[in-house]
Amino acid sequence: MNQKKQFTQVLRSCALGVGVALSYGASGSTIKADVLYHEYCSVCHGDRGDGNSRAMKSLNPPPRDLTTAGATLPRDYILHVITHGKPNTAMVGYKSRLNAEQLAALADYVHTDIVNRGAAISAGMIKGISGTSGTTGGTGAASSAPGAAGAAPVPPIAAPVPPVKPVAPDERADMSAPFPSGLKGDAAKGQAFYEKNCAECHGVKGDGQGPRAYFIRPVPRDFLHERSRLTLNRPAIYAAVFFGRNGTEMPAWSKVLTEQEIANVSEYVFQTFIRSGEKAAKAK
């Protein structure tokens, strides 16, 4: 086994250990279709299914706006595309990654919570946004923003933020560890991508206070926190960007970025937030 394959296996093992999953729906478990959507689909089609996503400017043709599709996207067609993909687009088939039950649940979610709901909103039958957050349970599970009676449903933001556990000695990462496959990140190029795509959640300052953070549970990672400074080295950041985070809004960017591009944005996060915070702490 060559070094690249060995490192990839290590990354996968570490990712699974911190909650990064490559598949859902083990036998007997409850399938959360909204989480599946946000893990596999929202990176292109957007959180609301309207195509306004982090990857929209990188794709040609651009992602489809599912909220305006209406009757043109029956449930069986949606299931077929999710399963087999769509030629000449970035839409890949997921038959090798999701089982039949998961594919069906995802098709039902897209058809009911995004396509049909979007059609109803367009027709003026209901008010609100199309789709729900990956932290909700689907149609009817969302709540309204505080003080906004009759406003569009949003994710449940009232859930308390759990306390962050102190970092144990064996959790501390080797901050000299390199990226896999001999990659060298370009922080300058990574900054441009971060500010366009990541700052919405993690914030321009890396403090987890981006404009969307208020609506997200679990909350976005605060790169300035002591736990981040002590545990997020280059391989850990690279793995999180590459694989995404199970049960969160963090998508698997490997679907739309090259390994070099992932290394670039990871290097920016590492140099700008992790190392700067470490240096600031030592200066006190």
Side-chain angles (χ1 to χ4, degrees), residues 42-43 62 74 108 175 189 205 250 253 263:
S42 67
V43 66
D108 288 337
M175 292 299 168
K189 292 181 179 178
K205 298 180 181 179
M250 180 67 184
W253 280 101

Side-chain angles (χ1 to χ4, degrees), residues 1-76:
M1 182 182 295
N2 61 37
Q3 185 177 10
K4 180 177 180 180
K5 289 184 177 179
Q6 287 178 328
F7 196 95
T8 300
Q9 286 193 350
V10 171
L11 276 181
R12 288 180 180 274
S13 298
C14 293
L16 289 172
V18 296
V20 178
L22 300 179
S23 62
Y24 293 81
S27 177
S29 64
T30 300
I31 296 176
K32 296 183 178 180
D34 55 340
V35 175
L36 284 175
Y37 175 84
H38 283 272
E39 175 69 12
Y40 292 98
C41 313
S42 67
V43 66
C44 293
H45 290 287
D47 295 329
R48 302 179 181 183
D50 57 6
N52 185 20
S53 70
R54 300 175 278 282
M56 61 181 299
K57 294 181 180 179
S58 302
L59 301 177
N60 184 23
R64 185 164 190 170
D65 180 354
L66 301 171
T67 66
T68 61
T72 64
L73 286 184
R75 189 262 185 193
D76 288 346

Side-chain angles (χ1 to χ4, degrees), residues 6-255:
Q6 287 178 328
F7 196 95
T8 300
Q9 286 193 350
V10 171
L11 276 181
R12 288 180 180 274
S13 298
C14 293
L16 289 172
V18 296
V20 178
L22 300 179
S23 62
Y24 293 81
S27 177
S29 64
T30 300
I31 296 176
K32 296 183 178 180
D34 55 340
V35 175
L36 284 175
Y37 175 84
H38 283 272
E39 175 69 12
Y40 292 98
C41 313
S42 67
V43 66
C44 293
H45 290 287
D47 295 329
R48 302 179 181 183
D50 57 6
N52 185 20
S53 70
R54 300 175 278 282
M56 61 181 299
K57 294 181 180 179
S58 302
L59 301 177
N60 184 23
R64 185 164 190 170
D65 180 354
L66 301 171
T67 66
T68 61
T72 64
L73 286 184
R75 189 262 185 193
D76 288 346
Y77 174 79
I78 295 172
L79 176 60
H80 177 83
V81 172
I82 293 174
T83 303
H84 302 287
K86 189 174 182 181
N88 302 317
T89 75
M91 180 65 200
V92 298
Y94 290 101
K95 62 181 179 181
S96 64
R97 302 186 66 179
L98 302 177
N99 60 37
E101 190 178 5
Q102 293 168 320
L103 291 168
L106 184 54
D108 288 337
Y109 176 80
V110 171
H111 185 247
T112 301
D113 284 57
I114 298 180
V115 175
N116 283 354
R117 183 172 174 78
I121 292 172
S122 297
M125 297 170 62
I126 58 174
K127 295 180 179 181
I129 59 174
S130 300
T132 56
S133 166
T135 55
T136 70
T139 303
S143 60
S144 295
V154 296
I157 57 174
V161 178
V164 180
K165 296 180 181 179
V167 179
D170 60 353
E171 290 184 282
R172 291 173 178 257
D174 176 7
M175 292 299 168
S176 65
F179 289 122
S181 308
L183 289 167
K184 300 292 183 181
D186 186 324
K189 292 181 179 178
Q191 178 180 6
F193 181 85
Y194 179 92
E195 292 178 351
K196 290 181 179 178
N197 300 278
C198 312
E200 287 187 9
C201 296
H202 293 288
V204 174
K205 298 180 181 179
D207 55 4
Q209 298 297 314
R212 292 190 62 244
Y214 180 77
F215 300 99
I216 297 174
R217 290 294 183 271
V219 295
R221 170 83 74 165
D222 177 359
F223 296 124
L224 305 183
H225 192 277
E226 180 183 29
R227 170 165 284 276
S228 297
R229 296 201 317 268
L230 297 177
T231 62
L232 294 183
N233 58 6
R234 286 183 175 94
I237 299 170
Y238 183 94
V241 177
F242 190 99
F243 294 113
R245 291 289 306 276
N246 178 25
T248 76
E249 298 275 348
M250 180 67 184
W253 280 101
S254 56
K255 297 182 179 70

